[in-house]
Every structure is written in structure tokens, then in C-alpha cells.
Amino acid sequence: MASSADPDELVASTDAQHPANLIPSLCAKFWTLGWVTGTGGGCSIRQGDLVYIAPSGVQKELMKSTDIYVLSLSAQPQPPSANQRTYLRSPPTFKPSQCTPLFLAAFTRRRAGCCIHTHSQWAVLVTLLLETQGSHVFEINNIEQIKAFPRTASSETGGAPSNLGFYDTLRIPVIENTPHEEDLTSFLEDAMDRHPHTCAVLVRRHGVYVWGDDVRKAKTQAESLDYLFQLAVEMKKLGIPWVSQIPRVGPDRP
Amino acid sequence: MASSADPDELVASTDAQHPANLIPSLCAKFWTLGWVTGTGGGCSIRQGDLVYIAPSGVQKELMKSTDIYVLSLSAQPQPPSANQRTYLRSPPTFKPSQCTPLFLAAFTRRRAGCCIHTHSQWAVLVTLLLETQGSHVFEINNIEQIKAFPRTASSETGGAPSNLGFYDTLRIPVIENTPHEEDLTSFLEDAMDRHPHTCAVLVRRHGVYVWGDDVRKAKTQAESLDYLFQLAVEMKKLGIPWVSQIPRVGPDRP
Amino acid sequence: MASSADPDELVASTDAQHPANLIPSLCAKFWTLGWVTGTGGGCSIRQGDLVYIAPSGVQKELMKSTDIYVLSLSAQPQPPSANQRTYLRSPPTFKPSQCTPLFLAAFTRRRAGCCIHTHSQWAVLVTLLLETQGSHVFEINNIEQIKAFPRTASSETGGAPSNLGFYDTLRIPVIENTPHEEDLTSFLEDAMDRHPHTCAVLVRRHGVYVWGDDVRKAKTQAESLDYLFQLAVEMKKLGIPWVSQIPRVGPDRP
Amino acid sequence: MASSADPDELVASTDAQHPANLIPSLCAKFWTLGWVTGTGGGCSIRQGDLVYIAPSGVQKELMKSTDIYVLSLSAQPQPPSANQRTYLRSPPTFKPSQCTPLFLAAFTRRRAGCCIHTHSQWAVLVTLLLETQGSHVFEINNIEQIKAFPRTASSETGGAPSNLGFYDTLRIPVIENTPHEEDLTSFLEDAMDRHPHTCAVLVRRHGVYVWGDDVRKAKTQAESLDYLFQLAVEMKKLGIPWVSQIPRVGPDRP
């Protein structure tokens, strides 16, 4: 793929599943969901050592493969927040995304294959509701959709994923927002360390970062989380608590 | 259709109305409605003895006909929950849907031609609101859209369907969720027995199963139910009761 | 158009603006707006003496021109509610819409060129909110969008339409629902007589009928009304009255 | 572009980025967002001295390039509100938009390249909520999305834009609506003078005008504002204030 000296070949492919084609089609879909309104939010895919990232300030539903940055994960300076990143390929008219170090954190600390950042209003409203309680973690249980989330990190189970059960409680940490998005990196990494099984971190008054082993898993978890955030806001409006004790029904087989 | 020894021919057709083409197009539509977010929910079609089922864990808006499972209804082991199902055709990279025994219940007990399972938030919110009242049945009356639902099972009327009238009360039973989706089967079947005329069963904190004689009826009832669930949630927010006594207007001709 | 003996030629045209093509494209759009969910609602266009009507029970986003009924307005029996309508052209597999006499009322009493019937939840919620006050008319003022509605019937002004001003009050009558949709006809006609300038009638717990001189006007008014119904519901949730006294600003030129 | 005597050449181009093609595609997108429902709202692009404007009363999702008006900015009568505008090109069947003098104000006073006018319900609801407090300015702070807005007018910084920071407060002035849209012009201009850095003005019970140096900036700011208006309405429903004091986190580097 990088056999040629021409960096533009890194984003030139007729395969719809190539990251340079997949990021624009995902972002267009996310735009219709209200996740990347007003050029906010973003998406990055890792394929082996290569990382593909949407640029800053692009209209997400209009992105093209030629807008994509490409960098080599192993060739980045240490510490990764040094802001002296080198790119294998840069688009002619954009700036790198401020989300870059946050995406890299998911790729290096969690070996993620895809990371999605949304400004979804449901995520923001959940962080605002938690703020009124001084809370730093979103918790919800006894909802079928939480089965979409891993109970353990995939590295622990050697590839056989174990997901949350219906009676389990999903916990997503919330970090405070910083004036500059890249300054979120150390707080995101801390939250990853404190919640080793989480696949997402909420950012107060800002949005959410969600990652997964591959595009399908990252997208499924991002959709399922947004579903739960919206449901949680509606439950709040209707006076229904997010965490409850309900009687168990049926066998709880392994 | 099954004349060849090649099981892939069971899902190969250029006819848009073939179940293997119809399920993906229906699921893509359901995705835009928020019914099958995050690979949740599903859809199955029966044509004679053949049953076509969407697989587990597939991104519903991206499904292809080659993702579909096919099984023979008459060739299933008894009892059907024995989990030793054989498939005439299996896709190469998926697992069978946990919804399978629930779809089969609709096909065998109700002779349904199509069954739709959604995780619609409106359905979940209705079950949560009913839970606060300890209720196991959703009831609503005096809304035009309830005319979309049968008053009697179609088998009783010999093909001439009789639908609910405007002043009638629509009743949809609610069953409690179980840790494993397939364990819902006996509860779903019990609810079918106790509510012989219902075309749907709500699952608490999970979603809804809706079926019909054919795809058109199942989809129309699924849409109409979701409409009523959303309306009911909004009515609740505005303090309007779901069941009311209103004066009758005009003749109530047969 | 009707020069041939073949009635199917009445709905065969390659012109996208032909009523038989326009009704399906309008209905598909209305489906995405939630106006014709679950085969509810409908649409009819009059061109001279010919009336084109969507059938009963059709999935509105999947309609085809060959699904359309055509009748001659002048050739209908008197009184028009006699339910002995003759059709110039009938589709092979559908039943006539129960909305037919209501559409005809708009065509004969108001010389409308298009009539749209929606089951929009916003319309239904407005009628429910008005019911709690025992009210039979929806009123809202001081909202820019009410300028979309006529102050007087177009027949009164000899073609030069006079629309409501910003400080005027839009009034839409509400009639009670009947068990059979066609029985609404006399109540709809009464409301038309009592509100000679209205271009719409709300039906309690059911939806709304909106008409206009042509498709563009009917659609614009239907969209503007739905906008106002949704706004009114949100205003109610936020405690803001629908009718208010506000200071006048700027000249109120004719 | 205007080299020919044929004014229709002003709107004839195969380039999707030509204003006469861009305005229809933008308006179609805005229609799906609920910004230009019922022919309300509008959009105008300036390219050098030429101004392209959507006509009055057009169904925005169906607009064609041939529906566009074109005028020369320098050739307009003074004062610009004199309503004796001349057009280089007029469509055959429409009337000029009443928004025209308001778009021109953004082009002449702010050197904007694009101005968008929406009737978004979120904008209207925000002005209604502010009205109950007697307020003439929308204020919100500590939300990531406010970084999309300029802190200073672009003319002040010589091309290097300085945007609001996370802890800053975004302020959007609100003017009262007038019976005739063109009469808003002097109030809009006053608000521009009093709020020299604003890129938008809310119109009470009507909507919002948003502009930017080019189409991308105007659209990004319009989307981000609508996001904030919707968020603000939901915050109000949940009892969360729009302006808050929160502890600062991380360095506030320039």
C-alpha cells in the first residue's frame, strides 16, 4: 500500500472498505445522526501500523478520501503528546485534527482498530445531568442494549469476548473538558487506566470517545451508547431512575 | 428454489420481493427509524416451510442477502427450544440470531409470515412507565391508529379480518426480560396463549416483537405500534391518560 | 388523457408532475415526516374534473402510479356521501380510500386542487391538549410561520391572495372523530361552513386534513401547519402560551 | 460569467460549487433539518460583486438553479432598503425574497460570502424562553460547540481568526419581529452594530440569520448554532442553566 513514493496512494483505493473510503462514508452517516454537526467530532481507523484520520474543520457529510491524514503509529515521537507528529500523508488544505492524540491513546493503550468521537447532544446532556449530582461516571443497568458492551477487555479473554449481561451495570467514566482538546489526552488515559474494561469515555459538556477492535465493533458500541444516552435523558424526563433493582427472571446460564 | 444442491441458491434472487432481498431492505429502513440500532433487533420472513432470518450481530443497515440464514420449519427438532436447530443455509461469518426461537413461535403458533423485533426506545419507555405501575399490559383507546390492529385472530374469521374500532382498547401484553434472549420464548408463548388476538408482545426494558400474516401486515402493525408507543410517551409528558372515556359521535355501523 | 378506452392510460405518464406520479413521490416524502405511518393518512390531487386518489391500506413510501384510483368529479352520485362512487380507473389489488368523501369535500366546496391527510403525532397531540380544555379550535398568534396561511378564501379576493399577518391569530377548527372515517364528511363540511377561510380541519385523536389551490400550496400549508403543531406542543412543555399579547414593532403596512 | 448578454448564463454551470447549484443543494439539506419548512427561510451566496438569492415561496427541497435571482451588490440603490432593487437575472415565475435586504446587510456590513436564514423551531423556542425573561440576548457558556464561533470579527485579526474558548460566553442578540420581513433590516443592522463580533441575529418568534466569510463557515456556524439552540431547549426541560460557573481544568494556552 505504501510501496510507492507518492503519499497520495495511501488514500487512493477503489475498495469501499479501505479506511480512506470508509471514514468519509461513516462520517456522512454520523452527520445524519447529529454526531458531527458543525464540523465537530471525528473518526479514525487503524490498520496495522497505519492510522487514518479525518482532518480538522471539515464538513463531515462532504468529506472525500483525499481529505484524510495518514501517520505511522510506531514512528510517532515519545511522549505522544509532544505535538511534533509527522504524517506520511497530509491533505493540501486542512489542519490536523485536535483529536489526534486522543485517537492515538485508544490505538496504543487499547489496541483499538477504530475510534469515534461524537458531539451527540444526548452524550452532552447525560454529562450535564451527572454534573448536577457531582458524578464522574454514567451508570445504567437492566436494559437489553447494555449487552452490546464488553465486561472485560478483549486482551484478558484471549479473543473470546465476554459481554455485560442484562442485570449488570454499564459504567462509562466522565472526564472534565479542557480548553484545548489535545489537553484531554492525559485525562482520557487516566480514565482508561481507572476503568480498564471501558470502551468509551464521556467528556463533560463536550461529547464522547468510543473505540473498538475494528470498525464494526466501534460503530456498534457508539450507536448502542448513543441509544442509552438518549434513553437515559428520556427516562430522566419521565422520572425513571437509571439504576434499579428488579426481580430476576429465568435462568442466568453462562 | 431449493432445486439445486447449492444452499447459496436459497438466498440468490434478482427479485426485490424475495425474502433474502426483502430482509436487508427492511432492516435498512428499520435502522433509519432507530429500531435496530447497534445491531439490535431483527427480522424474519416465512415463505411456506422456509424461514429466512437475519444473523446475530450484523449492522442492520449494511446487511446483504448472503448474510441470511435459511431453515425448514417442519425439519426443526421438538421441542423447538432444544437449541439443536439445523439450517438449510448458513452465512460464512455470522452466528444464528438469539431471536430465532421467538420468530419461530410466531410462525408456528400464529402462522405468521413475518416477524419484526425492534429495540425502539418508545417501546422500552412504555414498558418502563408501565413498570412503575406494576402493569403487564399496555392499553390505549380512542386513537385512530388503533384501527390498524386486528380484533380477532385471522384464523377465527376465515380470512375476513375484523379490526379494532376507534372506541375499542388495544391491549399489548408485556413480559419480563430474561438474561438470555432465547429464554424469552416460553414467556412469549404464554403471552400469546393468554392474549390470543394480540399481534405483538412487549419485552420489558428490551423492545417489542410484532408479527403479521405477511410482510406488509407485519410492517404496518410494527409502524402503527411504534407510532402509538411514541404518542403514549408524549401523552405522559403532557399529562394525558392513555385510556379515556369520550362521548361517541356518529353511527357505529358494522 | 382519457382519450383511450384503456383506463390504465389515466395513470401512465413519464411526466414527474403528472398526478399519478406526484402522489407516490409526495407520499414517500410524507412517510419520512411521520405523516402516513402504518398506511395511515393519504393524498389526493384534482386536475380539472379528474380526481386521483391513493388507495386504502397501501404502504405509502412504496406506492406506485399503478396503485392510483381515478374518478370524475362531475359524474359522482348526489349526495356525494351516497357511497356509490364510480371510478374511471381502479387498481387491481386495493380498496378505495375511506378518505375519499373528505377529499371530495375539499374539491367541491373549496375548489381545492390538492388535499393532504396526515396522522402526524403533533396534530393528534394538539387535539388532545385542546380536549383537556374542552376546546374545538386551535389558535396561535405572533409566530412568523402563520404568514403561510390565507386570511380570506381565494375566491373572495379574485385570485390575489391575502395572507395572515404576524400579529393575526390562526384558527383551525377541530372536529370529533367518528368510528368510520367517511362519517367525518358532514362534520368536516360543517366546519368548512363555520370557518369559511380555513384551509384545514383537525380531527380529534386522529390527524388533520389540509387543502390548497394546487399541490404546492397544499403541501406548503401542510408543512407549515405541522411546524406550528410541533412548536405548540413544545411550547406547552415549556409553559409558553399559544396566544399572547406582544408589543407591536415597526410599521404595519398593507 | 456575465460575459454574455443572456442573463440565464449567470445561473448555468455544470460546477456543483457554483452558487446557482450550491444554493439548491444547501436548501435541500436544510429542508431535511427542518430549517426551511413550508417555503420558509432561505439562503444567499455572494461571489465578488454578484449576489445569488433563492426566490420567495419556493419549495426549498425542490429548488433548481433556474429559480435563482442574481443582482450586483454595487449597483443597488441607496439606501439599500429603498425596495427599488434591480436584478441582473430573475426567474420567470417567482417573486424576490423578502429576506433580500437582510442578506445584503450581511454582505455589505460584514463582507459575508454567505447568509443563511432558518425558521428552526429550536431558534424560535429559544427566543420564546428569553421573552419570558425580558431578555434580548441568548447567552451560553462552557459547551465545547461554542468554539465554532469567532471571538472577534475577521476584519480585526487580519485573516487569522480567533474563536471563542470553552470557558467563554457566546452571545447572540435577539431582535423583535416586524410585520414585514424587510422591515427587520434596520433592527438587524442595529444589532450588528451593537454586537460587532456576532455572526448571527435571532429574530423573536421567527428564526435566525447566520452569516460567514464563505459557504463553509456560514453553514458550520448555522449548524453549530442550531445544535446549541436545541441543546438549550433540552437543558431548560431538564432544569440546567445555560450559563454556569465551573472549575477550570488544564492549561489555558493561547
Side-chain angles (χ1 to χ4, degrees), chain B:
Chain B
M1 192 183 296
S3 61
S4 161
D6 182 1
D8 287 351
E9 290 199 6
L10 287 165
V11 296
S13 168
T14 56
D15 178 5
Q17 298 306 308
H18 186 285
N21 295 326
L22 212 45
I23 288 176
S25 69
L26 284 167
C27 282
K29 192 175 282 185
F30 297 163
W31 187 85
T32 68
L33 297 173
W35 290 2
V36 292
T37 299
T39 81
C43 181
S44 179
I45 296 175
R46 181 182 65 83
Q47 226 175 39
D49 182 55
L50 292 181
V51 173
Y52 301 78
I53 312 185
S56 176
V58 69
Q59 298 176 75
K60 292 294 188 299
E61 85 281 19
L62 300 176
M63 250 177 87
K64 298 186 298 291
S65 60
T66 49
D67 299 337
I68 304 277
Y69 282 88
V70 187
L71 57 76
S72 158
L73 202 55
S74 59
Q76 293 309 300
Q78 292 303 328
S81 57
N83 207 10
Q84 299 165 328
R85 238 157 265 123
T86 56
Y87 291 91
L88 298 180
R89 195 267 170 184
S90 298
T93 58
F94 286 101
K95 288 192 299 183
S97 170
Q98 282 219 359
C99 309
T100 303
L102 298 129
F103 292 146
L104 296 185
F107 297 150
T108 54
R109 300 218 160 199
R110 296 300 176 93
R111 302 195 186 188
C114 176
C115 188
I116 296 165
H117 170 43
T118 92
H119 283 195
S120 166
Q121 300 207 1
W122 307 114
V124 174
L125 288 168
V126 160
T127 68
L128 288 166
L129 286 167
L130 289 168
E131 189 184 57
T132 66
Q133 306 161 25
S135 170
H136 293 272
V137 60
F138 170 65
E139 294 183 307
I140 193 164
N141 70 356
N142 301 335
I143 300 289
E144 177 71 10
Q145 198 82 16
I146 69 170
K147 291 187 187 171
F149 298 96
R151 184 198 303 267
T152 52
S154 31
S155 57
E156 292 179 43
T157 54
S162 168
N163 274 19
L164 290 177
F166 173 65
Y167 299 123
D168 290 330
T169 299
L170 173 70
R171 289 185 178 85
I172 306 290
V174 183
I175 60 174
E176 304 306 316
N177 201 26
T178 54
H180 296 272
E181 190 145 14
E182 57 200 14
D183 292 335
L184 285 173
T185 312
S186 63
F187 299 100
L188 183 88
E189 292 171 344
D190 284 353
M192 285 174 162
D193 291 347
R194 279 181 288 113
H195 296 262
H197 304 150
T198 193
C199 66
V201 173
L202 279 159
V203 185
R204 187 99 65 203
R205 297 171 169 272
H206 179 153
V208 68
Y209 281 85
V210 192
W211 57 86
D213 293 345
D214 52 31
V215 171
R216 189 186 69 78
K217 284 191 188 167
K219 173 172 168 287
T220 297
Q221 290 172 349
E223 283 183 24
S224 295
L225 259 189
D226 203 58
Y227 171 101
L228 289 170
F229 294 153
Q230 179 175 4
L231 188 70
V233 171
E234 294 296 310
M235 288 169 77
K236 190 77 181 180
K237 287 184 192 166
L238 296 163
I240 299 164
W242 298 347
V243 173
S244 59
Q245 288 273 0
I246 60 171
R248 291 182 176 243
V249 177
D252 196 359
R253 294 180 281 94

Side-chain angles (χ1 to χ4, degrees), chain C residues 12-205:
Chain C
S13 168
T14 57
D15 179 6
Q17 299 305 308
H18 186 284
N21 296 326
L22 213 45
I23 288 176
S25 69
L26 285 167
C27 282
K29 192 175 284 187
F30 297 163
W31 188 85
T32 68
L33 297 173
W35 290 2
V36 291
T37 298
T39 82
C43 181
S44 179
I45 296 176
R46 179 182 66 83
Q47 227 174 39
D49 182 56
L50 292 182
V51 173
Y52 301 79
I53 312 185
S56 176
V58 68
Q59 299 176 77
K60 292 294 187 300
E61 85 282 19
L62 300 176
M63 249 177 88
K64 298 186 299 290
S65 59
T66 49
D67 299 338
I68 305 277
Y69 283 89
V70 188
L71 58 75
S72 158
L73 202 55
S74 60
Q76 295 309 301
Q78 291 303 329
S81 58
N83 207 9
Q84 300 166 327
R85 238 157 265 123
T86 56
Y87 291 91
L88 299 180
R89 194 264 170 186
S90 298
T93 57
F94 287 101
K95 289 192 299 184
S97 170
Q98 282 219 0
C99 308
T100 303
L102 297 129
F103 292 146
L104 296 185
F107 298 149
T108 54
R109 300 216 160 200
R110 297 300 176 93
R111 302 198 184 185
C114 176
C115 187
I116 296 165
H117 171 43
T118 91
H119 283 196
S120 167
Q121 300 207 2
W122 308 114
V124 174
L125 288 168
V126 159
T127 68
L128 288 166
L129 287 167
L130 289 168
E131 189 183 58
T132 66
Q133 306 160 25
S135 170
H136 294 272
V137 60
F138 170 65
E139 294 183 308
I140 193 164
N141 70 356
N142 301 336
I143 300 289
E144 177 71 10
Q145 198 82 17
I146 67 171
K147 291 186 186 171
F149 298 95
R151 184 197 302 266
T152 52
S154 30
S155 57
E156 292 179 44
T157 55
S162 168
N163 275 20
L164 291 177
F166 174 64
Y167 300 124
D168 290 330
T169 299
L170 174 70
R171 289 187 178 83
I172 306 290
V174 183
I175 60 174
E176 304 306 316
N177 200 27
T178 55
H180 295 273
E181 190 145 13
E182 58 200 15
D183 292 334
L184 285 173
T185 311
S186 63
F187 298 100
L188 183 88
E189 292 171 344
D190 284 353
M192 284 174 162
D193 291 348
R194 280 180 288 111
H195 297 261
H197 305 149
T198 194
C199 66
V201 173
L202 279 158
V203 185
R204 187 98 65 201
R205 298 170 169 272

